[in-house]
Amino acid sequence: MSLLEVEGLRVGYGFPVLMGISFAVQEGETAVMFGLNGAGKTTTVATIAGLLKPEAGTIRFDGADITKTSAAERVALGIALVPEGRRVFPELSVSNNLRLGAWTKRRHHKQVEESRELCFNYFPRLAERSEQLAGTLSGGEQQMLAIGRALMSRPRLLLVDEASLGLSPALTQTVFSVVDRINDDGVTVVLVEQNVGVLPYADRALIMEKGTLVYQGSGDEIHSGSIRETYLGTPA
Amino acid sequence: MTRRPSKVAAARGAAVVLALLLAAACGQKSNVRDSSAAPAAGDATAGGNPGGGPAGGSSAATGDTVATAGGAGAAAPAGASTGAAGPAAGSSSAATPGRATSPSGGTSPGASPGNSPASAAGPGSAAGRTPSSAAGASSGGAGGGGGKAAGPVPVPAPPPPGGGDRTGVTDTKIRIGIHAPITGAAPFPQNAFDKGKDVYWKMLAEKGGIFGRNVEVVFRDDQFNPSRAVQVCREMVEQEKVFVLLGAAGSEQITACARYANSMGVPYLSAGVNEDGLTGLSSYFATSQTYAQQSPVLVSYIANKLHKTKIAIVLNNTPALNETQQSVTREAQAAGLNIVRNSRIGKNASDSELLSEANALRASGAEVVYLLTSPVNFIKLATNAQAQAYSPIYMGPGITNGLNIVAEAGCPAIGSAKFLSPFPQLDVIDNLDPDYQKSYQKYNGGKGDDIGLAEWGLSKVIGSMLQAAGKDLSRQSLVAALESGREFGTNVYPLVSYSGSIRFGARSSHLLEADCSTRSYKTIAQFTNGF
Amino acid sequence: MPTVLSRSALTSTAIAVGLAAALVATGSSQALVIGIITGAGYGLVALGLVLVYKSSGVFNFAQGEFGTVAIYALYRVHDKIGVPLIPAIVIALAVSVAMALVTERVVIRPLFDAPRVALLVATAGVALLAISLELWLGEARPRFIQPALGRLNRLSLFDVAVSDQRMLVLAALVILAVVLALFFSRTNLGLAILGVSQEPVATELMGISVRRLSSFIWALTGLLAGIAGILTAPVAGSFAPGFLTSTALIPGFTAAVLGGMKSLPGAFVGGIVVGVAQSLAVSSPAFHSIPGAGSVMIFVLLLIVLTVRPQGLLGRA
Ligand SMILES: Nc1ncnc2c1ncn2[C@@H]1O[C@H](COP(=O)(O)OP(=O)(O)OP(=O)(O)O)[C@@H](O)[C@H]1O
Ligand SMILES: [Mg+2]
């Protein structure tokens, strides 16, 4: 069953950016969205998270039309976005960043405590630095915090916008593998990426170009095929 | 997305806007009732009316007695001033006998407006009318408490220059402008000035006006702010085309407006304030004693009646009052008083400043505090002092600190504060001038308050002066009449006379004392000039 | 203890103690007491300024008038209509909260994406509007009021009698500063407000309604302003339209800047420092020839801080 269904989505900033895209992500999948700079990937996930209002099209989550709901409401429904550029709260400690991440669950102390454990389990580095101000973390640590913070709301769908940006190849692999673990733990994941290193983890690949979806298919297809050369410019 | 400017830039921007806002707030604060817009640029003011002759053919002798000393037998309004008396009855037409109108436009106002029979007004003193007294203004006036028998002044009015500036004067109207600190200085109720400003003129109009002319008052709030004062005075002169300007209270505002008026050749009269900055202005006249003239009166009271020696002197920190500070200091020293503190406080003093001052006064051990500040500062200072368990006797010159609103707001902290005043309080007005309450009742309903009384007294003085200027009223004839040396008495305001060089010509003041049991002031000495 | 408190609390205590010692040593102990009790009022205003600045980066020029409106509401409801004092105070505070909420809804929210300068000017406009409202509620003339607390000379410090009402202002300042500091460091809502000031988009992504948060912040700032107004007016002895704008906004702003614009304990200390500086200026014979020495002192202080240490006494460089 599709957890997320996007249909005919048109979004713009005064000028059109998304030209009406449609795709679906199945529950439990990891979908990866590729595309050149400016293709509209961030726009797509931001719209799904509710930060942007579409001009046309519908977004369905778990069968329900959520097109008109606010970003905050979508978090409560189970959609979490790790935004481009991390956007951690720089003047709050790691632990307070996580606490804010758990806002929608704030009355359920036990759940919050569990999420925290889980988060530290995924990213032990965060546990060590729980009282450090987020602004003083390294870029990689901030990325971990951003993902961990998003997990605190217990999402069913995790959207991650360019997790690998600015990370060393080694750290990138670490982050990808954690995301894979998260997926294994039952969270549906949509990764926006430029880094083809993510392909091994992808169940589904979406390729965007100038605001349209030019390719949808399984990760394996892309992994080894002409599509990869055509759209991503990197031979296998 | 997060658009936070640097903290510094934000703070600096904020500081600038803050300053603007404050300026605006002050301006906004009190635009209660001025209506007119900004002054039009080069609006001609004078100049009109060159020929001087009353345009509409001087309907001779429009009768009209100025009626001041209410006829009623009441206590001696000795020589009730402006000639004419209150012909209690309607028929003011007692005509003006002596009017000689020279056709040559010159108009020597021989006036001497009718001694209407009823004028016998005051029992005593036989309303000293001298036949020669040109404009009839003279008369003994001011007898009251001070008991000054002012003799008639046999100086004929010099003929005013031909023609003259008749701005604001028509055959039926004289328009005068008044500015007062309705807001900013004292807790004046919003409509107190409005209610009282026309009472006297309405009464006068019923008696025929001044040579047939009724007085129309334009009233503006100067907000206790000199630049605002100049602005409203300019508006009144250039747009409202008032004939003469009056300043009700506030030394800085009065000084500023008087200087403007002088530059425009507009006669300007005000309650006595400072002399610095006003001395030498050819169009300025003080209708009551200046602060400096009041200094010896106050000092004599402290020394001879209160028998206190330790005094502190506190004045608002406006340069206009430097001379007042010097004069009271000099007088106090001459009288052998011990000045234990001599200080100035901000015109809009902060909480901190008033508390500090109260504390310093207490520490100085002053028994009497000579005080010349706005009512707002006075009340706050007294309240702070009382909170410091310090309650000296407050005394001062003034115009506004003796108003009942000050007692209402300041009691019990102000104790038995005593202030000199150009006008008496309500407790004695029925004796001095029964017309006030009668007229107030008639035109406004209800009992007149002391703000109305202040306006009444001022109007009465001005009325007698306008009367004295004669039928062919012009700015020049008014100034000539004032400079002639004749005396103007109203039995409300003190007797006053001027000459070419004497512009601070009032002889006495009333001494008022706060009575916190009734939250009002009472008159403890009338027309006094020393103790 | 959370870092928010301890660091600044330490610095501020050090500064305060040093300043106090210097003043007592130079024989200005009375000015010190007067400064502290008058500065408390500035601190209260500064708290509200810091709150809004912290959460939205807006300097709220209407802060003073939110408070003055409360005074007028109290005057109207208590003195004119005769509602007993306590319910009247509640109503008055509700009025200033409502005023702040309306400001947020009608002025701040539509301009949320506008440059901050536009917001500055807009809040200045609100202040002017509030002054008109006050004129309508209570005429243009100053009103005189007596402190609600009867006994006047319970406490005397360095020969300065400190009235109960002034003690109340001081106590309110201390309590509010501490409560707010705890609120920000300990509660989810407090954290959310901090969050929105740092990363509004991320805050929304946490499932927090930034709009509702904004309303809450303004309601809180309206409440603080109302408390400041109702407590300080009786101390000042009188109020007139524009009361807090003309008496406390600049000192409060200076206090907030001194404290670094974002620190609540900083606003508290800043208020006291401004009060002491002002009272030194008005009481010291050295400044006697300068008219308005107190206000001059505040501007000098503001200038020094802005040029030398724009991050404030307690701010991070
Ligand atoms: N806030 C905005 N205002 C105006 N135009 C915008 C805005 N955000 C994005 N755009 C434009 O929309 C287009 C798509 O941007 P988007 O951020 O979605 O691309 P992207 O695929 O995420 O690119 P990248 O890989 O560089 O992150 C770009 O042309 C961009 O310039
Ligand atoms: Mg992007």
Side-chain angles (χ1 to χ4, degrees), chain B residues 1-4 8 11 14 17-18 22 28-29 183 186-188 190 317 350-351 359 362 379-380 384 387-388 409, chain C residues 30 61 113 132 135 139-142 144 153 159 161 166 197-198 200-201 238 249-250 253 278-279 291 306 310:
Chain B
M1 303 197 201
T2 49
R3 190 179 303 107
R4 270 168 298 142
V8 193
V17 181
L18 191 65
L22 266 179
Q28 173 97 2
K29 212 172 191 169
T183 53
F188 294 129
Q190 201 156 341
N317 200 351
S350 64
D351 180 32
N359 203 57
R362 191 200 48 175
I379 295 167
K380 289 185 185 177
N384 270 307
Q388 299 295 311
Chain C
Q30 295 194 350
F61 284 98
D113 290 324
S132 315
L135 282 169
E139 300 184 3
R141 64 160 151 168
F144 289 84
N153 307 307
D159 213 23
R166 290 190 189 274
S197 73
Q198 298 167 21
V201 174
S238 81
L249 190 62
I250 289 184
F253 174 65
Q278 190 190 24
S279 94
L306 287 180

Side-chain angles (χ1 to χ4, degrees), chain A residues 37-38 40-43 45 84 161-162 192 194:
Chain A
N37 293 117
K41 308 180 294 293
T42 297
T43 305
V45 287
E84 192 172 34
D161 195 350
E162 299 220 40
V192 169
Q194 312 255 28

Side-chain angles (χ1 to χ4, degrees), chain A residues 32-37 41 161-176 191-202 222-223 228 232 234:
Chain A
V32 181
M33 184 177 282
F34 293 104
L36 297 176
N37 293 117
K41 308 180 294 293
D161 195 350
E162 299 220 40
S164 63
L165 196 73
L167 303 191
S168 71
L171 196 54
T172 305
Q173 283 309 315
T174 316
V175 168
F176 286 163
L191 282 172
V192 169
E193 266 307 329
Q194 312 255 28
N195 188 325
V196 291
V198 76
L199 277 173
Y201 305 100
I222 256 193
H223 200 47
R228 177 163 173 167
L232 305 179
T234 51

Side-chain angles (χ1 to χ4, degrees), chain B residues 14-395:
Chain B
V16 171
V17 181
L18 191 65
L20 289 176
L21 171 66
L22 266 179
C26 294
Q28 173 97 2
K29 212 172 191 169
S30 42
N31 265 334
V32 187
R33 83 173 58 71
D34 19 50
S35 45
S36 76
D43 215 333
T45 54
N49 237 334
S58 70
S59 59
T62 351
D64 84 286
T65 48
V66 177
T68 45
S81 77
T82 44
S91 74
S92 60
S93 58
T96 53
R99 273 194 55 83
T101 317
S102 85
S104 65
T107 82
S108 69
S112 112
N115 259 313
S116 73
S119 84
S125 93
R129 312 223 84 266
T130 49
S132 66
S133 123
S138 75
S139 83
K148 282 204 181 355
V153 184
V155 186
D165 181 349
R166 308 167 62 86
T167 307
V169 180
T170 69
D171 277 355
T172 55
K173 257 187 208 152
I174 305 168
R175 179 179 280 202
I176 66 175
I178 306 182
H179 67 97
I182 300 175
T183 53
F188 294 129
Q190 201 156 341
N191 51 11
F193 288 92
D194 269 354
K195 282 183 94 172
K197 76 180 166 61
D198 295 318
V199 172
Y200 180 77
W201 304 118
K202 282 179 180 162
M203 184 206 76
L204 200 58
E206 280 197 9
K207 297 180 176 173
I210 300 169
F211 299 104
R213 298 179 176 112
N214 294 332
V215 173
E216 185 184 293
V217 179
V218 179
F219 204 107
R220 289 292 163 84
D221 180 10
D222 62 36
Q223 298 170 9
F224 200 46
N225 172 344
S227 40
R228 177 72 187 160
V230 171
Q231 191 190 336
V232 297
C233 284
R234 185 184 291 277
E235 281 171 23
M236 289 192 287
V237 168
E238 297 181 1
Q239 286 168 15
E240 305 283 350
K241 308 271 188 225
V242 299
F243 172 67
V244 53
L245 278 174
L246 309 179
S251 51
E252 276 192 306
Q253 293 67 250
I254 285 174
T255 307
C257 250
R259 299 187 72 88
Y260 162 74
N262 193 58
S263 72
M264 302 299 291
V266 178
Y268 183 95
L269 294 103
S270 81
V273 285
N274 44 287
E275 296 178 13
D276 266 358
L278 296 171
T279 307
L281 299 184
S282 60
S283 73
Y284 177 80
F285 301 88
T287 57
S288 60
Q289 284 189 309
T290 64
Y291 295 147
Q293 288 170 336
Q294 295 173 59
S295 294
V297 187
L298 290 163
V299 165
S300 72
Y301 190 87
I302 296 167
N304 305 329
K305 291 278 182 182
L306 295 175
H307 304 292
K308 301 286 188 197
T309 51
K310 290 167 86 174
I311 76 160
I313 298 171
V314 180
L315 301 93
N316 263 8
N317 200 351
T318 57
L321 299 183
N322 290 348
E323 139 227 301
T324 310
Q325 187 177 24
Q326 284 156 17
S327 92
V328 70
T329 303
R330 207 170 43 236
E331 294 290 341
Q333 282 164 347
L337 301 182
N338 179 13
I339 302 173
V340 293
R341 182 171 172 81
N342 206 333
S343 64
R344 310 289 291 262
I345 57 175
K347 196 174 175 181
N348 301 303
S350 64
D351 180 32
S352 152
E353 186 171 0
L354 291 164
L355 179 56
S356 298
E357 185 61 35
N359 203 57
L361 284 173
R362 191 200 48 175
S364 76
E367 299 164 300
V368 179
V369 174
Y370 168 97
L371 186 113
L372 180 47
T373 70
S374 66
V376 170
N377 271 355
F378 167 44
I379 295 167
K380 289 185 185 177
L381 183 66
T383 307
N384 270 307
Q386 194 198 30
Q388 299 295 311
Y390 174 60
S391 301
I393 298 170
Y394 297 98
M395 277 202 86

Side-chain angles (χ1 to χ4, degrees), chain A residues 75 87 89 91 99 103, chain C residues 186 188 198-199 202 205 208:
Chain A
V75 178
R87 303 213 174 267
F89 301 110
E91 286 168 47
R99 193 164 155 193
W103 176 267
Chain C
R186 298 287 177 85
N188 284 310
Q198 298 167 21
E199 282 292 348
L205 286 174
I208 299 165

